[in-house]
Amino acid sequence: MTERSRIAAHRGGALEQPENTIAAFHHAVAIGADEVELDIHCSSDGVLVVHHDATLERMTTGHGAVGAHDLAALQRFRIRGSEGAWIPTLEEALAVIAPSPVTLRLEVKRAADGSPYPRMIERAIDLVASHGLENRFYVTAFHADDLAVAADITRAETGLFLIEDQTLRAIGFGGLSRVLDLAGTRNVALPVDAIGAETLDEGRRRGISISAFGCHSAAQIEKALRLALHVFTSDRPSLALELRREAETSGSEGH
């Protein structure tokens, strides 16, 4: 039986609600997404906050690096395109996600200078566990050593390594396999446009599970569903859920 692809609402569904806001997380839960993806940084006073970029200009009325501001300052800024939304804390996001059945997909970000935030991963995992999500979350990152930290804490394969297709072309599957060994995971996500049957076959041969990010258009979502990827992220989770239902209905009618 073909595995049912899981749908992760990327930043809560960035083309359906202002990204990484409390409204977006409520939306993702309400529509029945399988997973909610969000990104974390750390304020200058040590509070874990939910925001994608290391800087503020693209999505907020603020300026400069996220990590250069304390929480009070960050929450005075407003999210562009929203009705007064602020940068939420991870605690605020977990308060929405924890009571629901969805899985948390926690993307670990780095500071504006590319350095890791001190003990951010450890503190995030502690906070996730305090909300009863220790068996319903996983960590994603573009840096293998960030995932290694998470694997060391959880003593389990809780990581998903994110990699761009040009990087995979440069290092090959042999290089990727070595990176995954360092990261403590055999799970990797690629841009959906870079994934084909040959990629999946090579991954299986090497014991690597391949999923996708960047599934935002109907064609990209349909491709992910057709390939039966374990999970994929989408800025349009409502559309992804609709297309999955349609695919499952047409599939059942064909039997």
Side-chain angles (χ1 to χ4, degrees):
M1 183 177 177
T2 302
E3 181 182 18
R4 186 191 208 203
S5 294
R6 293 175 60 80
I7 294 165
H10 185 237
R11 307 178 199 173
L15 287 175
E16 297 177 354
Q17 291 286 330
E19 66 179 55
N20 277 326
T21 59
I22 294 301
F25 304 139
H26 276 298
H27 170 70
V29 168
I31 64 174
D34 301 300
E35 303 183 3
V36 174
E37 189 267 359
L38 56 80
D39 311 275
I40 56 170
H41 287 273
C42 192
S43 68
S44 64
D45 53 344
V47 180
L48 303 182
V49 295
V50 180
H51 191 68
H52 179 269
D53 300 359
T55 54
L56 296 161
E57 286 80 358
R58 180 180 68 87
M59 279 303 299
T60 82
T61 56
H63 299 277
V66 173
H69 298 270
D70 64 18
L71 179 64
L74 288 174
Q75 295 204 314
R76 282 196 295 269
F77 304 139
R78 289 294 170 258
I79 302 297
R80 298 189 189 281
S82 75
E83 296 181 1
W86 62 95
I87 296 174
T89 64
L90 179 58
E91 180 85 49
E92 289 173 318
L94 293 176
V96 176
I97 295 166
S100 79
V102 305
T103 293
L104 171 65
R105 178 174 171 136
L106 189 69
E107 182 164 342
V108 173
K109 293 298 188 180
R110 291 195 167 193
D113 64 0
S115 64
Y117 294 100
R119 300 197 74 255
M120 183 176 77
I121 298 171
E122 294 92 331
R123 293 173 56 232
I125 290 175
D126 284 347
L127 192 57
V128 166
S130 74
H131 282 76
L133 286 163
E134 62 270 27
N135 297 316
R136 192 157 41 95
F137 90 103
Y138 60 103
V139 176
T140 72
F142 282 95
H143 297 274
D145 44 353
D146 290 338
L147 295 180
V149 171
D152 189 55
I153 296 167
T154 61
R155 302 295 177 186
E157 189 171 327
T158 54
L160 173 67
F161 183 60
L162 307 172
I163 185 171
E164 297 288 355
D165 57 319
Q166 61 266 34
T167 306
L168 179 57
R169 288 197 301 270
I171 66 175
F173 267 92
L176 174 61
S177 189
R178 291 189 290 273
V179 170
L180 294 178
D181 287 342
L182 293 172
T185 184
R186 302 302 289 174
N187 300 314
V188 64
L190 285 161
V192 67
D193 295 337
I195 300 175
E198 304 85 356
T199 312
L200 296 177
D201 288 343
E202 183 65 13
R204 289 189 201 98
R205 191 175 74 80
R206 293 177 179 269
I208 298 171
S209 174
I210 297 175
S211 58
F213 57 87
C215 303
H216 308 318
S217 70
Q220 290 169 324
I221 293 166
E222 288 167 346
K223 178 182 180 180
L225 293 169
R226 187 169 61 252
L227 291 172
L229 300 177
H230 172 63
V231 62
F232 62 88
T233 60
S234 179
D235 283 351
R236 302 171 71 189
S238 295
L239 175 62
L241 289 164
E242 178 185 348
L243 292 174
R244 187 176 68 182
R245 284 192 294 269
E246 290 177 359
E248 289 174 344
T249 300
S250 62
S252 64
E253 288 174 350
H255 291 288

